[in-house]
Amino acid sequence: MQSGHPEVQSYLDQVVSTLTIHVGSELIGVYLHGSLAMGAFHPGRSDVDILAVCAEPLHREPRMVLGEALAVIPTPPSGGDLEFSLVTEASMRARSAAPSFEVHVNTHEEPFVVDGSDRPGDQDLVIHFAMARARGRALIGPEPRDLFPEPVRDSLIQAFLGDIQWAKEEGAAAWEGHDMPELASMAYQVLNAARCWRYLESGELGSKVEGAAWLERRDPDPDTRALLDAALSYQRGGIPNQPDERTVSGFVERVEAMLRSAVS
Protein backbone atom coordinates (compact mmCIF):
# COMPACT_ATOMS: atom_id res chain seq x y z
CA MET A 1 0.00 0.00 0.00
CA GLN A 2 1.45 3.37 -1.07
CA SER A 3 0.81 6.42 1.12
CA GLY A 4 0.99 9.09 -1.59
CA HIS A 5 3.72 10.89 0.40
CA PRO A 6 7.20 9.60 -0.60
CA GLU A 7 8.87 10.66 2.68
CA VAL A 8 6.10 9.09 4.71
CA GLN A 9 6.16 5.91 2.59
CA SER A 10 9.88 5.52 3.28
CA TYR A 11 9.13 5.90 6.98
CA LEU A 12 6.37 3.27 6.84
CA ASP A 13 8.74 0.88 5.11
CA GLN A 14 11.25 1.31 7.94
CA VAL A 15 8.57 0.73 10.58
CA VAL A 16 7.44 -2.48 8.89
CA SER A 17 11.03 -3.67 8.47
CA THR A 18 11.76 -3.01 12.15
CA LEU A 19 8.65 -4.92 13.21
CA THR A 20 9.52 -7.83 10.95
CA ILE A 21 13.01 -8.05 12.43
CA HIS A 22 11.95 -7.81 16.08
CA VAL A 23 8.65 -9.72 16.09
CA GLY A 24 9.50 -12.23 13.37
CA SER A 25 7.10 -15.03 12.56
CA GLU A 26 4.78 -13.98 15.41
CA LEU A 27 3.83 -10.83 13.47
CA ILE A 28 0.33 -11.20 11.98
CA GLY A 29 -0.17 -7.78 10.41
CA VAL A 30 0.65 -4.07 10.43
CA TYR A 31 -2.08 -1.49 9.80
CA LEU A 32 -2.51 2.21 9.18
CA HIS A 33 -5.67 3.41 10.90
CA GLY A 34 -5.72 7.21 11.04
CA SER A 35 -5.74 10.17 8.70
CA LEU A 36 -2.99 8.72 6.51
CA ALA A 37 -5.12 5.65 5.82
CA MET A 38 -8.16 7.78 5.01
CA GLY A 39 -6.62 10.36 2.68
CA ALA A 40 -6.80 13.14 5.29
CA PHE A 41 -3.10 13.36 6.20
CA HIS A 42 -1.64 16.85 6.50
CA PRO A 43 2.14 16.91 7.06
CA GLY A 44 3.05 18.67 10.29
CA ARG A 45 -0.49 18.45 11.67
CA SER A 46 -1.32 14.74 11.41
CA ASP A 47 0.20 11.75 13.20
CA VAL A 48 1.23 8.49 11.59
CA ASP A 49 -1.09 6.01 13.30
CA ILE A 50 -0.04 2.35 13.17
CA LEU A 51 -1.34 -0.81 14.82
CA ALA A 52 0.51 -4.10 14.75
CA VAL A 53 -0.92 -7.47 15.78
CA CYS A 54 1.15 -10.40 16.98
CA ALA A 55 0.20 -14.00 17.68
CA GLU A 56 1.61 -14.28 21.22
CA PRO A 57 2.77 -11.91 23.97
CA LEU A 58 6.36 -10.72 23.94
CA HIS A 59 8.61 -10.80 26.99
CA ARG A 60 9.41 -7.44 28.58
CA GLU A 61 12.93 -7.02 27.19
CA PRO A 62 12.01 -7.71 23.54
CA ARG A 63 8.99 -5.39 23.90
CA MET A 64 11.11 -2.52 25.11
CA VAL A 65 13.86 -3.15 22.56
CA LEU A 66 11.22 -3.06 19.81
CA GLY A 67 9.70 0.14 21.17
CA GLU A 68 13.07 1.85 21.37
CA ALA A 69 13.96 0.70 17.84
CA LEU A 70 10.72 2.23 16.51
CA ALA A 71 11.14 5.45 18.50
CA VAL A 72 14.58 6.21 17.03
CA ILE A 73 13.50 5.89 13.39
CA PRO A 74 13.65 9.48 12.09
CA THR A 75 10.10 10.70 11.53
CA PRO A 76 9.28 12.16 8.08
CA PRO A 77 11.02 15.51 7.51
CA SER A 78 7.69 17.03 6.51
CA GLY A 79 6.31 16.18 9.95
CA GLY A 80 4.12 13.54 11.52
CA ASP A 81 4.82 11.86 14.84
CA LEU A 82 4.39 8.12 15.25
CA GLU A 83 1.55 6.77 17.37
CA PHE A 84 1.99 3.01 17.51
CA SER A 85 0.60 0.09 19.48
CA LEU A 86 1.46 -3.61 19.34
CA VAL A 87 -1.32 -5.89 20.57
CA THR A 88 -1.83 -9.63 20.61
CA GLU A 89 -4.56 -11.20 18.53
CA ALA A 90 -6.21 -12.38 21.75
CA SER A 91 -6.34 -8.84 23.13
CA MET A 92 -7.71 -7.49 19.87
CA ARG A 93 -10.51 -10.09 19.86
CA ALA A 94 -11.36 -9.91 23.57
CA ARG A 95 -13.77 -6.95 23.17
CA SER A 96 -12.45 -5.39 26.37
CA ALA A 97 -13.41 -1.83 27.33
CA ALA A 98 -9.66 -1.17 27.76
CA PRO A 99 -7.66 -3.68 25.69
CA SER A 100 -4.23 -4.70 26.89
CA PHE A 101 -1.21 -3.91 24.74
CA GLU A 102 2.36 -5.11 24.45
CA VAL A 103 4.07 -1.79 23.83
CA HIS A 104 3.03 1.70 22.86
CA VAL A 105 5.26 4.25 21.10
CA ASN A 106 4.49 7.95 20.77
CA THR A 107 7.33 10.07 19.41
CA HIS A 108 5.61 13.31 20.44
CA GLU A 109 5.66 12.96 24.21
CA GLU A 110 7.74 11.29 26.89
CA PRO A 111 7.91 8.52 27.80
CA PHE A 112 8.26 7.68 24.13
CA VAL A 113 7.98 3.96 24.88
CA VAL A 114 5.40 2.50 27.29
CA ASP A 115 5.48 -1.12 28.42
CA GLY A 116 1.97 -2.53 28.35
CA SER A 117 2.58 -4.79 31.34
CA ASP A 118 2.72 -1.67 33.52
CA ARG A 119 -0.72 -0.49 32.41
CA PRO A 120 -4.25 -1.83 32.96
CA GLY A 121 -5.10 -1.32 29.27
CA ASP A 122 -5.95 1.49 26.89
CA GLN A 123 -9.53 2.54 26.12
CA ASP A 124 -8.34 4.37 23.00
CA LEU A 125 -7.55 1.00 21.44
CA VAL A 126 -11.30 0.35 21.14
CA ILE A 127 -11.42 3.32 18.75
CA HIS A 128 -8.24 2.28 16.96
CA PHE A 129 -9.51 -1.25 16.37
CA ALA A 130 -12.83 0.05 15.02
CA MET A 131 -11.11 2.56 12.72
CA ALA A 132 -8.68 -0.07 11.48
CA ARG A 133 -11.53 -2.41 10.61
CA ALA A 134 -13.63 0.29 8.93
CA ARG A 135 -11.01 2.37 7.12
CA GLY A 136 -7.60 0.91 7.85
CA ARG A 137 -5.01 -0.20 5.31
CA ALA A 138 -2.82 -3.27 5.62
CA LEU A 139 0.90 -2.60 5.27
CA ILE A 140 1.44 -6.35 5.63
CA GLY A 141 -0.94 -9.11 6.66
CA PRO A 142 -4.61 -9.90 6.06
CA GLU A 143 -7.15 -7.25 5.19
CA PRO A 144 -8.41 -5.38 8.28
CA ARG A 145 -11.99 -6.67 7.98
CA ASP A 146 -10.66 -10.22 7.96
CA LEU A 147 -8.81 -9.68 11.24
CA PHE A 148 -10.47 -7.02 13.39
CA PRO A 149 -13.90 -7.90 14.85
CA GLU A 150 -16.99 -5.73 14.55
CA PRO A 151 -16.89 -3.19 17.40
CA VAL A 152 -19.38 -3.25 20.25
CA ARG A 153 -21.32 0.00 19.83
CA ASP A 154 -21.64 0.86 23.51
CA SER A 155 -17.94 0.22 24.13
CA LEU A 156 -17.03 2.40 21.17
CA ILE A 157 -19.25 5.25 22.37
CA GLN A 158 -17.76 4.97 25.87
CA ALA A 159 -14.30 5.19 24.31
CA PHE A 160 -15.34 8.28 22.36
CA LEU A 161 -16.58 9.81 25.62
CA GLY A 162 -13.28 9.02 27.31
CA ASP A 163 -11.35 10.67 24.50
CA ILE A 164 -13.52 13.79 24.63
CA GLN A 165 -13.12 14.04 28.40
CA TRP A 166 -9.35 13.60 28.15
CA ALA A 167 -9.08 16.38 25.55
CA LYS A 168 -11.20 18.74 27.68
CA GLU A 169 -9.23 18.07 30.85
CA GLU A 170 -5.78 18.28 29.28
CA GLY A 171 -6.47 21.25 27.02
CA ALA A 172 -3.45 22.88 25.42
CA ALA A 173 -1.07 21.06 27.78
CA ALA A 174 -1.60 17.90 25.74
CA TRP A 175 -0.27 19.66 22.64
CA GLU A 176 2.95 21.17 23.95
CA GLY A 177 5.54 20.76 21.21
CA HIS A 178 2.95 21.10 18.44
CA ASP A 179 2.43 24.29 16.47
CA MET A 180 0.23 26.65 18.51
CA PRO A 181 -0.97 24.33 21.28
CA GLU A 182 -4.13 26.34 22.00
CA LEU A 183 -5.24 26.03 18.38
CA ALA A 184 -4.18 22.38 18.25
CA SER A 185 -6.33 21.61 21.29
CA MET A 186 -9.30 23.49 19.84
CA ALA A 187 -9.03 21.73 16.48
CA TYR A 188 -8.77 18.29 18.05
CA GLN A 189 -11.76 18.83 20.32
CA VAL A 190 -13.99 20.27 17.61
CA LEU A 191 -13.09 17.84 14.84
CA ASN A 192 -13.22 14.84 17.14
CA ALA A 193 -16.69 15.87 18.34
CA ALA A 194 -17.83 16.25 14.73
CA ARG A 195 -16.54 12.76 13.94
CA CYS A 196 -18.45 11.35 16.93
CA TRP A 197 -21.65 13.13 15.88
CA ARG A 198 -21.36 11.65 12.41
CA TYR A 199 -20.97 8.17 13.86
CA LEU A 200 -24.03 8.55 16.08
CA GLU A 201 -26.27 9.61 13.22
CA SER A 202 -24.91 7.59 10.32
CA GLY A 203 -22.98 4.69 11.86
CA GLU A 204 -20.02 5.68 9.68
CA LEU A 205 -16.48 5.79 11.01
CA GLY A 206 -14.02 8.15 9.40
CA SER A 207 -11.45 10.86 9.86
CA LYS A 208 -12.00 13.99 11.91
CA VAL A 209 -11.85 16.05 8.71
CA GLU A 210 -14.56 13.90 7.15
CA GLY A 211 -16.69 14.34 10.25
CA ALA A 212 -16.42 18.13 10.00
CA ALA A 213 -17.26 18.10 6.28
CA TRP A 214 -20.32 15.93 7.01
CA LEU A 215 -21.52 18.28 9.73
CA GLU A 216 -20.99 21.40 7.61
CA ARG A 217 -23.37 19.93 5.04
CA ARG A 218 -25.89 19.01 7.73
CA ASP A 219 -25.90 21.95 10.15
CA PRO A 220 -26.56 25.42 8.67
CA ASP A 221 -25.94 27.24 11.98
CA PRO A 222 -23.38 29.99 11.20
CA ASP A 223 -21.65 29.66 14.58
CA THR A 224 -21.16 25.93 14.08
CA ARG A 225 -19.82 26.47 10.57
CA ALA A 226 -17.41 29.17 11.78
CA LEU A 227 -16.12 26.84 14.48
CA LEU A 228 -15.68 23.97 12.03
CA ASP A 229 -13.95 26.27 9.53
CA ALA A 230 -11.45 27.40 12.16
CA ALA A 231 -10.70 23.81 13.21
CA LEU A 232 -10.34 22.66 9.60
CA SER A 233 -8.10 25.61 8.77
CA TYR A 234 -5.68 24.67 11.54
CA GLN A 235 -5.76 20.98 10.63
CA ARG A 236 -4.88 21.84 7.03
CA GLY A 237 -1.92 24.00 7.99
CA GLY A 238 -3.55 27.39 8.45
CA ILE A 239 -3.48 29.81 11.37
CA PRO A 240 -7.09 30.74 12.13
CA ASN A 241 -8.27 33.12 14.81
CA GLN A 242 -8.80 31.34 18.11
CA PRO A 243 -12.54 30.73 18.58
CA ASP A 244 -14.16 31.78 21.83
CA GLU A 245 -13.57 29.13 24.49
CA ARG A 246 -17.24 29.12 25.48
CA THR A 247 -18.25 28.37 21.90
CA VAL A 248 -15.83 25.45 21.73
CA SER A 249 -16.96 24.10 25.10
CA GLY A 250 -20.63 24.45 24.21
CA PHE A 251 -20.20 22.53 20.97
CA VAL A 252 -18.17 19.74 22.56
CA GLU A 253 -20.55 19.40 25.50
CA ARG A 254 -23.49 19.19 23.09
CA VAL A 255 -21.92 16.20 21.38
CA GLU A 256 -20.86 14.71 24.71
CA ALA A 257 -24.50 14.80 25.86
CA MET A 258 -25.56 13.07 22.64
CA LEU A 259 -23.03 10.32 23.23
CA ARG A 260 -24.15 9.79 26.82
CA SER A 261 -27.80 9.51 25.78
CA ALA A 262 -26.88 6.95 23.11
CA VAL A 263 -25.36 4.46 25.56
CA SER A 264 -27.89 1.73 26.37
Side-chain angles (χ1 to χ4, degrees), residues 177-234:
H178 284 76
D179 288 339
M180 296 158 285
E182 292 285 347
L183 283 172
S185 174
M186 176 278 300
Y188 184 86
Q189 291 188 63
V190 169
L191 298 179
N192 191 40
R195 174 175 65 176
C196 293
W197 189 340
R198 180 193 185 203
Y199 172 72
L200 283 177
E201 294 215 358
S202 70
E204 295 179 347
L205 290 166
S207 71
K208 293 186 286 291
V209 169
E210 289 172 345
W214 172 87
L215 188 53
E216 282 192 319
R217 294 191 299 270
R218 181 192 181 282
D219 192 337
D221 178 67
D223 290 338
T224 299
R225 293 182 67 88
L227 189 58
L228 293 169
D229 286 345
L232 286 168
S233 174
Y234 175 84

Side-chain angles (χ1 to χ4, degrees), residues 31-143:
Y31 302 89
L32 285 178
H33 64 92
S35 57
L36 185 58
M38 294 182 268
F41 183 81
H42 294 278
R45 296 286 164 85
S46 299
D47 289 330
V48 177
D49 301 299
I50 299 177
L51 270 174
V53 181
C54 58
E56 298 292 339
L58 274 63
H59 294 297
R60 177 181 172 84
E61 183 176 353
R63 282 199 304 267
M64 298 306 290
V65 169
L66 167 63
E68 289 160 6
L70 291 170
V72 299
I73 299 173
T75 53
S78 57
D81 283 299
L82 174 66
E83 184 167 339
F84 167 86
S85 295
L86 174 68
V87 300
T88 64
E89 184 176 14
S91 173
M92 180 264 295
R93 294 190 181 280
R95 298 180 179 270
S96 168
S100 62
F101 61 95
E102 297 298 294
V103 65
H104 179 71
V105 179
N106 186 334
T107 58
H108 167 62
E109 59 186 6
E110 296 184 359
F112 299 125
V113 181
V114 176
D115 179 8
S117 67
D118 296 335
R119 302 297 173 98
D122 184 356
Q123 189 177 44
D124 285 349
L125 284 171
V126 176
I127 301 173
H128 299 336
F129 294 166
M131 291 292 180
R133 174 182 167 84
R135 301 289 302 280
R137 297 290 183 270
L139 298 177
I140 59 170
E143 288 301 308

Side-chain angles (χ1 to χ4, degrees), residues 108-109 166-178 181-182 185:
H108 167 62
E109 59 186 6
W166 168 84
K168 286 168 56 180
E169 291 168 2
E170 293 294 322
W175 303 97
E176 292 299 328
H178 284 76
E182 292 285 347
S185 174

